[in-house]
Structures are given as C-alpha cells and as structure tokens.
Amino acid sequence: MSAPTLRTPAGTAGVDAVERARDAAARESWPEAYALLRAHDRHPSPALTADDLSVLADAAWWSGHVDESVTARLRAHAGYLAAGDHRGAGLASWWLHYEYRGLGRPAAASGWLHRARHHLADLPPCPEQCFLAWTDAEEAEQHGDPAAALAATHRMTRLALRSGSPDLLALSRQAESAVLLAQGRRADALALLDDAMCAVGAGELTGMFTGWVYCLALTQCMEAADFGRAVEWTDAAMEWCAPPWSGRPPAAPDAAGAAGTLPMTVPSGENPFRGVCRAHRVQVLDLLGLWELAEEEARLACREVPVDCLESAAAAYYAAGDVQRRQGRLDAAAESYAHAHELGRIPQPGLALLRLAQGRSDAAVAGVALALACQSDPRHDLLGRARLLAARTEVALAVRDAPGAAEAAEQLASLAGDVPLLRAMADTAEGAVALSAGRAALPHLRRALGGWLELRVPYEAAQVRMLLAAACRAAGDEEAARLELAAARAAFERLGAVPDARRAAALLSGGARRRLPGGLTAREAEVLRLVAAGGTNRDIAHALVISEHTVARHLNNIFAKLGVGSRAAATAYAYAHGLA
C-alpha cells in the first residue's frame, strides 16, 4: 500500500510564493521578486498587502515595467489609506509623484506630491518626510531661493540622522552638496559629496540609493567641471552597473583594499541606472580622447536609458555628434545632433562648430549666441557655460569679430577661477584672442597646454599646439613651430581627427598643393587667404599681379569647391582649416 499523499492546505502555496518574493526583494533580486509577485497577483490567495504591492512596484520598476510599477503603487496607496497608515500612504504618494514626473506627466506628479504633503504634514518626525524635504530643496532652488533650499537640506539631514538610515543620510549629503555648489561654495560642496560617495563605495546603501547618488554625483561633477572626480566615479558606477556575479556575492576586499573588490549591492538582472551612468561615461571618454569607445558606449546608452531618463540619451547622442564632427564625419554628426535635439537638448555648441566647419558662419554665430542667451542659470552648469563661451570665441575669431571674441574670452576667464578644466579652456581662448590681435600669446598658450596635458585631454592639447605653432612662427622660431605641429599631427592621427591631422600636415609641409583642403589649388589658396584678410577683388588682383576678372574666376571656383556661397563663409572655412 502506497504512502498517503500530503496535500498543501489551500492558500499555503501562495503564502510561500509571497515569502520567497519578500526574500528576493531583501536580496535585491528584483526579476525574481517581480515574477513571483506578478504570478501570485493573478490569482491572489491571500491578497497582497500594501507592503507587498510596494515591493511589486519596486520590482516592476527595476525590471523595466514602469507602467506596472505605477499601477502597483496606486494599489499600495489605496491599501495604506484603507488601513489608516498615513506614513505608508505618504511614501507611496511621493513615489507616485516621482514616477509620474519621470514619465512626463507633471499634473499627476503635482497632485501626488500634494497628497504626500497631506499625509505626512502633521505626523511626528519620520523618515518618509526626508523625501518631502528633498523635494522642497529642489523647488526652492528652481524658484531662486538658496536660503530655503539650504534649510530644506538641513531638515533632510536631521530626519536622516534621526532615522539611522545610511540611504537617507547619503542622499541628504548629496542634496546639500548640490545646493552649496549652486551657491559657489565649491570646497564645502565637494567635501559633502565625497562623504556621500564613501557610503556608496563601501557598499553601505541599497540599490536604489546607490544608483541615485551615483547619477546625481556624476551630473554634479560634469556640470562643475570636476574632471578628476568624474573619471573616478564613472568607472566605479559602470562597475556597479555591470551584470551580477552569477548569483554569488562579490568578493571581500583584500588587505590592500584592491580596486574592483569592494563589496557593493548589485541588483540581479538589468540595472535601470546603467544607461544613465553609461551616458555620463561617454562624456568622460570623449574628453579622454577614447573616441571609438565613446561612440560605441553612446549607442549602448541610447538603448539602455529608461523611458523616464531620456535626457541622458540626448546627452549621449550629443557626445557622439562631437566625436563624429572632429573626425570629419559631418553628416553623421548632424544626424546625432538632430537626435539630441529631438530628445529635448539644445545641441550647442557642437552644432555651431559643425556649421563653422561647413563654412556656414552665419548659422554658427546665431546658434552659439542663442544658446548663451537661453542658458537660464549658468551656475548650475559651469562646464556647459564654459563650452559655449569657448565656442563663441572660436566662431567670433573665424568671422573676424575681434571685440566679440575678446568679450567671450574675458567672460570665460572670469568664470574659470581655479578649476583646472575651466582654467585650461580660458587660457586657450585668451591665447587665441591674443594671437589674432598680434599680442603676446605664448604665456597663455603654454599654460593652456600644461593644463590639458595634466588633465589628460589630448584633443584640446593638440589644438593648443596648433596655436602655439602659429605663435612661434610669428615670433620667428620656425623650429619650435615645426615641433608643435609634428606633435599635434601625431595626436590628431591617434585620435582619428582627420581634418585636423590634414591641416597640421599641410602646415608642416609648407602647404604643398596635394595637401590643401577642399581640393584647392595653390593659387586658389592664396586668393582665399587674401579674402580672409579682408581684401577686395581689386586688392587681391594688385597683390597677386592678376586681373580682377581672374580673381572673380578664382572665387567662383573656391565657392564651388568648398560648397559655400559668400565671402564670409569662405573666410570661416579658411580659419577653420588653417588657411588664414
């Protein structure tokens, strides 16, 4: 006789599935938690609690199902409200505000934020109020009230300390850092940011807060032009975002604390922060001159960025456009800038520099001027402002607007302070203006080259070498000029900056006919140089001892070869390609 079959009591299997889902969530194995809770929710026996629905919402978000996350969060809010749990309802409301804002539904986001305040306002101090304080700080900054913003971050810190939560404390440190940075208190801000990043690096935070702090810190570093921190933390962020260790925990650090072995909480499956962190990495790789990798990472970032973080995809497209432009792939660059624009980013100054390379100087001037005028608060993006001013200097010099170039360079120098990346940009701009005006440019350019080399930013260093070569030639030091040109050409060739490499080679070879850009003949290049110097047809004819009719014929050929339609556009092309 066979042994009796032991039957599972009704509902026990469901309870077991929910318990396993809770355990998976505690381990941050979100796909597992999502699958278990979603399957149970189809035939709930018993029904999921409000806490379980919150876990389902988190698991759905980590698994890339944002709509399901919102639906589960709405049900969780209803469950908390029915139970009279205002803390739970308040937190669910804040999360709905956060998710709706990311999905581009500001009215719904505003309504849920109002509900969150209603649920939490009259309660004794509790951890959930930290999120409201964070929102208060962001809103105060947007309204131009730095005192209120700082007070909100201090309130957030007090609540975080009271709660004993490493997550909330790290987030409060980051929030205060952002406010201080906007107020110009750079040293204090970066000290707080380093404190928050210590908690991240030590693996003290849960996955959501680790991702938040990484993304926010990387944004701050790039906007503040703190290139050293950006390099260090993008590498760490991508390591955290990498696929997990086949279900095994990360190795403990060795006695020396070797890089790459720090224990970190890495969620299983796909990581929604990966695309955002990768977009930051693209900008770093671009500056480091690792262009092939930067473009590949940009493609990956655009595929991985969540639907509620499309501004990161726009940044990746823009960075790819910069790479393609400097490689001479102008059509591809135009397409990348167009994609960035479609996603809401003004693709400047890259688009203006592209137009300058195409000889469309009027479009270049208008584009960079409009971008500068549209920047509402430059304090929040120092690097963005500096790049616009550097481009404004370059474009103004190309169209012979000496006062405009000098003004832009002066503003850039005032903005730079003692920030190494900005200082190198300012020295470059001031050196270019001085060179154009016939003043002593070597001191500025030597400092600029030293700054770029120390930062390990090769393209800008090579560009400065081109300016140094011109300054050395103007000073009569031909040997020094050739050394700078040779170094610049080698750097451009390593980078794949084809137009710049050709320009450096042409200057090294004395402008041999076969190396002239645009297929110009030597005589056409002479005519173009005189046009760029402001000469009329009569002036050029007199200088070259030819007829004005011949000058006009040469100009027609030049316009046709370069694809330009005016003397101003031809002048811009001449400056962009080292012919002026």
Side-chain angles (χ1 to χ4, degrees):
M1 185 176 178
S2 61
T5 302
L6 298 177
R7 298 185 178 277
T8 303
T12 302
V15 171
D16 180 60
V18 172
E19 286 297 333
R20 285 189 287 125
R22 292 169 182 164
D23 176 69
R27 291 182 280 108
E28 297 195 315
S29 180
W30 296 113
E32 180 185 353
Y34 170 73
L36 288 167
L37 288 175
R38 190 165 181 266
H40 175 82
D41 198 39
R42 289 172 179 165
H43 308 285
S45 178
L48 295 177
T49 67
D51 285 341
D52 292 331
L53 288 167
S54 291
V55 172
L56 175 57
D58 291 341
W61 185 87
W62 279 100
S63 302
H65 305 286
V66 181
D67 290 343
E68 290 185 48
S69 174
V70 170
T71 300
R73 195 88 61 190
L74 288 167
R75 292 169 59 198
H77 174 266
Y80 288 125
L81 198 59
D85 182 351
H86 284 281
R87 284 178 57 182
L91 184 58
S93 297
W94 186 89
W95 273 108
L96 285 164
H97 147 74
Y98 177 83
E99 290 185 296
Y100 276 127
R101 186 179 65 177
L103 291 170
R105 296 182 58 185
S110 176
W112 283 104
L113 180 60
H114 179 77
R115 283 199 174 189
R117 296 190 195 283
H118 171 74
H119 287 304
L120 299 173
D122 297 328
L123 296 180
C126 59
E128 292 79 7
Q129 292 167 348
C130 259
F131 296 96
L132 289 182
W134 188 23
T135 304
D136 290 342
E138 290 181 338
E139 290 183 344
E141 277 219 88
Q142 290 168 3
H143 296 148
D145 190 345
L150 195 58
T153 62
H154 289 165
R155 184 168 70 254
M156 186 179 178
T157 300
R158 289 194 298 271
L159 289 165
L161 289 169
R162 183 187 182 97
S163 73
S165 165
D167 284 341
L168 294 175
L169 185 58
L171 192 61
S172 72
R173 297 279 192 243
Q174 187 283 323
E176 185 175 353
S177 171
V179 172
L180 292 175
L181 203 57
Q183 295 178 10
R185 296 170 58 181
R186 186 180 180 89
D188 293 337
L190 293 177
L192 279 171
L193 194 57
D194 287 344
D195 184 290
M197 294 307 296
C198 281
V200 171
E204 297 171 1
L205 310 186
T206 58
M208 175 61 76
F209 287 81
T210 296
W212 263 348
V213 176
Y214 264 135
C215 288
L216 294 168
L218 291 172
T219 299
Q220 279 180 247
C221 286
M222 291 306 296
E223 291 180 350
D226 192 321
F227 189 51
R229 283 180 172 83
V231 171
E232 180 179 349
W233 291 342
T234 49
D235 288 344
M238 289 310 300
E239 183 179 342
W240 174 74
C241 288
W245 294 265
S246 304
R248 298 191 304 270
D254 59 22
T261 59
L262 290 174
M264 292 187 179
T265 304
V266 181
S268 300
E270 295 299 315
N271 187 323
F273 290 105
R274 185 167 60 196
V276 178
C277 290
R278 197 185 300 278
H280 287 298
R281 187 167 186 247
V282 171
Q283 299 175 62
V284 169
L285 293 171
D286 176 25
L287 280 169
L288 291 174
L290 302 172
W291 290 352
E292 184 176 347
L293 180 57
E295 192 172 358
E296 176 60 29
E297 291 285 275
R299 282 194 289 268
L300 290 172
C302 294
R303 289 202 295 267
E304 295 171 352
V305 165
V307 68
D308 56 346
C309 295
L310 292 182
E311 68 276 6
S312 295
Y317 273 121
Y318 177 83
D322 276 354
V323 170
Q324 292 155 350
R325 169 177 55 81
R326 288 173 297 194
Q327 290 177 329
R329 299 157 55 201
L330 303 190
D331 290 342
E335 187 175 345
S336 292
Y337 290 143
H339 284 313
H341 184 265
E342 289 168 4
L343 292 172
R345 179 185 177 117
I346 297 176
Q348 297 290 4
L351 184 58
L353 296 174
L354 172 64
R355 297 306 180 216
L356 188 65
Q358 294 170 327
R360 298 172 57 185
S361 57
D362 291 347
V365 170
V368 76
L370 183 61
L372 279 165
C374 289
Q375 198 177 33
S376 58
D377 190 351
R379 296 174 305 168
H380 288 280
D381 188 1
L382 289 177
L383 182 57
R385 179 76 174 181
R387 282 173 162 162
L388 287 171
L389 289 170
R392 167 68 176 138
T393 305
E394 183 176 345
V395 170
L397 288 174
V399 299
R400 302 175 64 82
D401 177 11
E407 180 186 5
E410 184 179 348
Q411 289 182 30
L412 180 51
S414 176
L415 184 75
D418 60 355
V419 181
L421 183 59
L422 301 186
R423 188 71 260 158
M425 296 173 73
D427 285 332
T428 302
E430 289 182 310
V433 169
L435 180 62
S436 176
R439 301 195 309 271
L442 284 171
H444 288 297
L445 296 175
R446 291 291 181 201
R447 283 199 303 271
L449 180 59
W452 291 122
L453 291 176
E454 186 174 348
L455 288 164
R456 296 179 296 129
V457 178
Y459 180 74
E460 280 71 12
Q463 290 280 31
V464 171
R465 288 191 187 278
M466 297 290 284
L467 294 171
L468 275 168
C472 290
R473 275 185 171 163
D477 191 345
E478 182 63 27
E479 182 179 5
R482 293 185 67 80
L483 286 172
E484 295 295 356
L485 286 172
R489 180 179 65 176
F492 289 140
E493 288 174 348
R494 284 194 300 271
L495 289 165
V498 176
D500 293 295
R502 288 175 177 165
R503 182 162 58 100
L507 291 170
L508 264 175
S509 65
R513 177 175 179 173
R514 64 186 177 84
R515 292 183 179 274
L516 288 171
L520 297 175
T521 66
R523 179 48 65 101
E524 288 166 351
E526 288 178 339
V527 171
L528 181 54
R529 290 190 186 99
L530 292 169
V531 168
T536 64
N537 284 16
R538 177 176 296 181
D539 296 332
I540 297 168
H542 179 74
L544 299 180
V545 196
I546 57 177
S547 69
E548 289 187 44
H549 175 76
T550 302
V551 172
R553 179 168 54 80
H554 283 314
L555 279 176
N556 286 334
N557 291 338
I558 290 168
F559 287 177
K561 287 180 178 181
L562 303 186
V564 299
S566 68
R567 297 172 85 94
T571 296
Y573 184 95
Y575 273 93
H577 293 81
L579 295 176

Coordinates of all heavy atoms in Angstrom, one line a residue, residues 427-483:
D427 N 42.5 79.8 -20.7 CA 43.9 80.1 -21.2 C 43.9 79.9 -22.7 O 44.6 80.7 -23.4 CB 44.9 79.3 -20.5 CG 45.2 79.7 -19.1 OD1 45.0 80.9 -18.8 OD2 45.6 78.9 -18.3
T428 N 43.3 78.8 -23.2 CA 43.2 78.6 -24.6 C 42.5 79.7 -25.4 O 43.0 80.3 -26.4 CB 42.5 77.3 -24.9 OG1 43.1 76.2 -24.3 CG2 42.5 77.0 -26.4
A429 N 41.4 80.2 -24.9 CA 40.6 81.2 -25.5 C 41.4 82.5 -25.5 O 41.5 83.3 -26.5 CB 39.3 81.4 -24.8
E430 N 42.0 82.9 -24.3 CA 42.8 84.1 -24.2 C 44.0 84.1 -25.1 O 44.3 85.1 -25.7 CB 43.2 84.4 -22.8 CG 42.0 84.7 -21.9 CD 42.4 85.0 -20.4 OE1 43.1 84.2 -19.9 OE2 42.0 86.0 -19.9
G431 N 44.6 82.9 -25.2 CA 45.8 82.8 -26.1 C 45.4 83.0 -27.6 O 46.1 83.7 -28.4
A432 N 44.2 82.4 -28.0 CA 43.8 82.6 -29.4 C 43.5 84.0 -29.7 O 43.8 84.5 -30.8 CB 42.6 81.7 -29.6
V433 N 42.8 84.7 -28.7 CA 42.5 86.1 -29.0 C 43.8 87.0 -29.1 O 43.9 87.8 -29.9 CB 41.6 86.6 -27.8 CG1 41.4 88.2 -27.9 CG2 40.2 86.0 -27.9
A434 N 44.7 86.7 -28.2 CA 46.0 87.5 -28.2 C 46.7 87.2 -29.5 O 47.3 88.1 -30.1 CB 46.8 87.1 -27.0
L435 N 46.7 86.0 -30.0 CA 47.4 85.6 -31.2 C 46.8 86.4 -32.4 O 47.5 86.9 -33.3 CB 47.4 84.1 -31.4 CG 48.0 83.6 -32.7 CD1 49.5 83.9 -32.7 CD2 47.8 82.1 -32.8
S436 N 45.4 86.4 -32.4 CA 44.7 87.0 -33.5 C 45.0 88.5 -33.5 O 45.1 89.2 -34.6 CB 43.2 86.8 -33.4 OG 42.5 87.5 -34.3
A437 N 45.2 89.1 -32.3 CA 45.4 90.6 -32.2 C 46.9 91.0 -32.4 O 47.2 92.1 -32.3 CB 44.9 91.1 -30.9
G438 N 47.7 90.0 -32.5 CA 49.2 90.3 -32.7 C 49.8 90.6 -31.3 O 50.9 91.1 -31.3
R439 N 49.2 90.2 -30.2 CA 49.8 90.4 -28.9 C 50.5 89.1 -28.5 O 50.4 88.1 -29.1 CB 48.7 90.8 -27.9 CG 47.9 92.0 -28.2 CD 47.2 92.5 -27.0 NE 46.4 91.5 -26.4 CZ 45.1 91.2 -26.7 NH1 44.5 91.9 -27.7 NH2 44.4 90.3 -26.1
A440 N 51.2 89.2 -27.3 CA 52.0 88.1 -26.8 C 51.0 87.0 -26.4 O 50.2 87.2 -25.4 CB 52.8 88.5 -25.6
A441 N 51.0 85.9 -27.1 CA 50.1 84.8 -26.8 C 50.7 83.6 -26.1 O 50.1 82.8 -25.6 CB 49.4 84.3 -28.1
L442 N 52.1 83.5 -26.2 CA 52.8 82.4 -25.7 C 52.5 82.1 -24.3 O 52.3 80.9 -23.9 CB 54.3 82.5 -26.0 CG 54.7 82.2 -27.5 CD1 56.1 82.6 -27.7 CD2 54.4 80.8 -27.9
P443 N 52.5 83.0 -23.3 CA 52.3 82.7 -21.9 C 50.9 82.0 -21.7 O 50.8 81.0 -21.0 CB 52.3 84.1 -21.2 CG 53.2 84.9 -22.1 CD 52.9 84.5 -23.5
H444 N 49.9 82.6 -22.3 CA 48.5 81.9 -22.2 C 48.5 80.5 -22.8 O 48.0 79.6 -22.2 CB 47.5 82.8 -22.9 CG 47.1 84.0 -22.3 ND1 46.6 84.1 -21.0 CD2 47.3 85.3 -22.7 CE1 46.4 85.4 -20.7 NE2 46.8 86.1 -21.7
L445 N 49.1 80.4 -23.9 CA 49.1 79.1 -24.6 C 49.9 78.0 -23.9 O 49.6 76.8 -23.9 CB 49.5 79.2 -26.1 CG 48.6 80.1 -26.9 CD1 49.1 80.3 -28.3 CD2 47.2 79.5 -27.0
R446 N 51.1 78.4 -23.4 CA 51.9 77.5 -22.6 C 51.1 77.0 -21.4 O 51.2 75.8 -21.1 CB 53.2 78.1 -22.2 CG 54.2 78.4 -23.3 CD 54.7 77.1 -23.9 NE 55.7 77.4 -25.0 CZ 56.0 76.5 -25.9 NH1 55.4 75.3 -25.9 NH2 56.9 76.8 -26.9
R447 N 50.5 77.9 -20.7 CA 49.7 77.5 -19.5 C 48.5 76.5 -19.9 O 48.2 75.6 -19.3 CB 49.1 78.7 -18.8 CG 50.1 79.4 -17.9 CD 49.4 80.3 -16.9 NE 48.5 81.2 -17.5 CZ 48.8 82.5 -18.0 NH1 50.1 82.9 -17.8 NH2 47.9 83.3 -18.5
A448 N 47.9 76.9 -21.1 CA 46.8 76.0 -21.6 C 47.3 74.6 -21.9 O 46.6 73.7 -21.5 CB 46.2 76.7 -22.8
L449 N 48.4 74.5 -22.6 CA 48.9 73.2 -22.9 C 49.3 72.4 -21.7 O 48.9 71.2 -21.6 CB 50.2 73.4 -23.8 CG 50.8 72.1 -24.3 CD1 49.8 71.2 -25.0 CD2 52.1 72.3 -25.1
G450 N 49.9 73.1 -20.7 CA 50.2 72.4 -19.5 C 48.9 71.9 -18.8 O 48.9 70.7 -18.2
G451 N 47.9 72.7 -18.8 CA 46.6 72.3 -18.1 C 46.0 71.1 -18.8 O 45.6 70.1 -18.2
W452 N 45.9 71.1 -20.2 CA 45.3 70.0 -20.9 C 46.1 68.7 -20.7 O 45.5 67.6 -20.6 CB 45.2 70.3 -22.4 CG 44.2 71.4 -22.7 CD1 44.4 72.6 -23.3 CD2 42.8 71.4 -22.4 NE1 43.3 73.3 -23.4 CE2 42.3 72.6 -22.9 CE3 42.0 70.5 -21.7 CZ2 40.9 73.0 -22.7 CZ3 40.6 70.9 -21.6 CH2 40.1 72.1 -22.0
L453 N 47.5 68.8 -20.8 CA 48.3 67.6 -20.6 C 48.1 67.0 -19.2 O 48.0 65.8 -19.0 CB 49.7 68.0 -20.9 CG 50.1 68.3 -22.3 CD1 51.6 68.7 -22.4 CD2 49.8 67.1 -23.2
E454 N 48.0 67.9 -18.2 CA 47.8 67.4 -16.8 C 46.5 66.7 -16.7 O 46.4 65.7 -16.0 CB 48.0 68.5 -15.8 CG 47.9 68.1 -14.4 CD 48.2 69.2 -13.4 OE1 48.6 70.3 -13.9 OE2 48.0 69.0 -12.2
L455 N 45.5 67.2 -17.3 CA 44.1 66.6 -17.3 C 44.0 65.4 -18.2 O 43.0 64.7 -18.1 CB 43.1 67.7 -17.7 CG 42.8 68.8 -16.7 CD1 42.1 69.9 -17.4 CD2 42.0 68.3 -15.5
R456 N 45.0 65.1 -19.0 CA 45.0 64.0 -20.0 C 43.8 64.1 -21.0 O 43.1 63.2 -21.3 CB 44.9 62.7 -19.2 CG 46.1 62.4 -18.4 CD 46.0 61.1 -17.6 NE 44.9 61.1 -16.7 CZ 44.0 60.1 -16.6 NH1 44.0 59.1 -17.5 NH2 43.0 60.2 -15.7
V457 N 43.7 65.4 -21.5 CA 42.7 65.7 -22.5 C 43.4 65.9 -23.8 O 43.9 67.1 -24.1 CB 41.8 66.9 -22.1 CG1 40.8 67.2 -23.2 CG2 41.1 66.6 -20.8
P458 N 43.6 64.9 -24.7 CA 44.5 65.1 -25.8 C 44.1 66.0 -27.0 O 44.9 66.6 -27.6 CB 44.7 63.6 -26.3 CG 43.4 62.9 -25.9 CD 43.0 63.6 -24.6
Y459 N 42.8 65.9 -27.3 CA 42.4 66.7 -28.5 C 42.6 68.2 -28.3 O 43.2 68.9 -29.1 CB 40.9 66.5 -28.8 CG 40.4 67.2 -30.0 CD1 40.8 66.9 -31.3 CD2 39.6 68.4 -29.9 CE1 40.4 67.6 -32.4 CE2 39.2 69.1 -31.0 CZ 39.6 68.7 -32.2 OH 39.2 69.4 -33.3
E460 N 42.2 68.7 -27.1 CA 42.3 70.1 -26.8 C 43.8 70.5 -26.7 O 44.2 71.6 -27.1 CB 41.6 70.5 -25.5 CG 40.1 70.7 -25.7 CD 39.3 69.4 -26.0 OE1 39.9 68.4 -25.8 OE2 38.1 69.5 -26.4
A461 N 44.6 69.6 -26.2 CA 46.1 69.8 -26.1 C 46.6 70.0 -27.5 O 47.5 70.9 -27.8 CB 46.8 68.7 -25.4
A462 N 46.2 69.1 -28.4 CA 46.7 69.2 -29.8 C 46.3 70.5 -30.5 O 47.0 71.1 -31.2 CB 46.2 68.0 -30.6
Q463 N 45.0 70.9 -30.2 CA 44.6 72.2 -30.7 C 45.4 73.4 -30.3 O 45.7 74.3 -31.0 CB 43.1 72.4 -30.4 CG 42.1 71.5 -31.0 CD 41.8 71.9 -32.5 OE1 42.6 72.5 -33.2 NE2 40.6 71.6 -32.9
V464 N 45.8 73.3 -29.0 CA 46.6 74.4 -28.4 C 48.0 74.3 -29.1 O 48.6 75.4 -29.4 CB 46.7 74.3 -26.9 CG1 47.8 75.2 -26.4 CG2 45.4 74.5 -26.2
R465 N 48.5 73.2 -29.4 CA 49.8 73.1 -30.1 C 49.7 73.8 -31.4 O 50.7 74.4 -31.9 CB 50.2 71.6 -30.2 CG 50.6 70.9 -28.9 CD 51.3 69.6 -29.2 NE 51.6 68.9 -28.0 CZ 52.6 69.0 -27.2 NH1 53.5 70.0 -27.5 NH2 52.8 68.3 -26.1
M466 N 48.6 73.7 -32.1 CA 48.5 74.4 -33.4 C 48.6 75.9 -33.2 O 49.2 76.6 -34.0 CB 47.1 74.0 -34.0 CG 47.0 72.5 -34.4 SD 48.0 72.0 -35.8 CE 47.1 72.7 -37.1
L467 N 47.9 76.4 -32.2 CA 48.0 77.8 -31.9 C 49.4 78.2 -31.5 O 50.0 79.2 -31.9 CB 47.0 78.2 -30.8 CG 45.5 78.0 -31.1 CD1 44.7 78.2 -29.8 CD2 45.1 79.0 -32.2
L468 N 50.1 77.3 -30.7 CA 51.5 77.6 -30.3 C 52.4 77.6 -31.5 O 53.3 78.5 -31.6 CB 51.9 76.5 -29.3 CG 51.6 76.7 -27.9 CD1 51.9 75.4 -27.1 CD2 52.4 77.9 -27.3
A469 N 52.1 76.8 -32.5 CA 53.0 76.8 -33.7 C 52.8 78.1 -34.4 O 53.8 78.7 -34.9 CB 52.5 75.6 -34.6
A470 N 51.6 78.6 -34.5 CA 51.4 79.9 -35.2 C 52.1 81.0 -34.4 O 52.7 81.9 -35.0 CB 49.9 80.2 -35.3
A471 N 52.0 81.0 -33.0 CA 52.7 82.0 -32.2 C 54.2 81.9 -32.3 O 54.9 82.9 -32.4 CB 52.2 81.8 -30.8
C472 N 54.7 80.7 -32.4 CA 56.2 80.5 -32.6 C 56.6 81.1 -33.9 O 57.7 81.7 -34.0 CB 56.6 79.1 -32.4 SG 56.4 78.5 -30.7
R473 N 55.9 80.8 -35.0 CA 56.2 81.3 -36.3 C 56.2 82.8 -36.3 O 57.0 83.5 -36.9 CB 55.3 80.7 -37.3 CG 55.7 79.3 -37.8 CD 54.9 78.8 -39.0 NE 55.5 77.6 -39.5 CZ 54.9 76.7 -40.3 NH1 53.6 76.9 -40.6 NH2 55.5 75.7 -40.7
A474 N 55.2 83.4 -35.6 CA 55.1 84.8 -35.6 C 56.3 85.4 -34.9 O 56.7 86.6 -35.2 CB 53.8 85.3 -34.9
A475 N 56.8 84.7 -33.9 CA 58.0 85.2 -33.2 C 59.3 84.8 -33.9 O 60.4 85.1 -33.3 CB 58.0 84.6 -31.8
G476 N 59.2 84.1 -35.0 CA 60.4 83.8 -35.8 C 61.1 82.5 -35.4 O 62.2 82.2 -35.8
D477 N 60.4 81.7 -34.6 CA 61.0 80.4 -34.1 C 60.4 79.3 -34.9 O 59.5 78.6 -34.5 CB 60.8 80.2 -32.6 CG 61.6 79.1 -32.0 OD1 62.1 78.3 -32.8 OD2 61.7 79.0 -30.8
E478 N 60.9 79.1 -36.1 CA 60.4 78.1 -37.0 C 60.6 76.7 -36.5 O 59.7 75.8 -36.6 CB 61.1 78.2 -38.4 CG 60.5 77.2 -39.4 CD 59.1 77.5 -39.8 OE1 58.6 78.6 -39.6 OE2 58.4 76.5 -40.2
E479 N 61.7 76.4 -35.8 CA 61.9 75.1 -35.3 C 60.9 74.7 -34.2 O 60.4 73.6 -34.3 CB 63.4 75.0 -34.7 CG 63.7 73.5 -34.2 CD 65.1 73.4 -33.7 OE1 65.8 74.4 -33.6 OE2 65.5 72.3 -33.3
A480 N 60.7 75.6 -33.3 CA 59.6 75.3 -32.3 C 58.3 75.1 -32.9 O 57.5 74.3 -32.5 CB 59.6 76.5 -31.3
A481 N 58.0 75.9 -34.0 CA 56.7 75.8 -34.6 C 56.5 74.4 -35.2 O 55.5 73.7 -35.1 CB 56.5 76.8 -35.7
R482 N 57.6 73.9 -35.9 CA 57.5 72.6 -36.5 C 57.4 71.5 -35.5 O 56.7 70.5 -35.7 CB 58.7 72.4 -37.4 CG 58.7 73.3 -38.6 CD 59.9 73.0 -39.6 NE 59.7 71.7 -40.2 CZ 58.9 71.5 -41.2 NH1 58.2 72.5 -41.8 NH2 58.8 70.2 -41.8
L483 N 58.1 71.6 -34.3 CA 57.9 70.6 -33.3 C 56.5 70.6 -32.8 O 55.9 69.5 -32.5 CB 58.9 71.0 -32.1 CG 60.3 70.7 -32.3 CD1 61.2 71.3 -31.2 CD2 60.6 69.2 -32.5

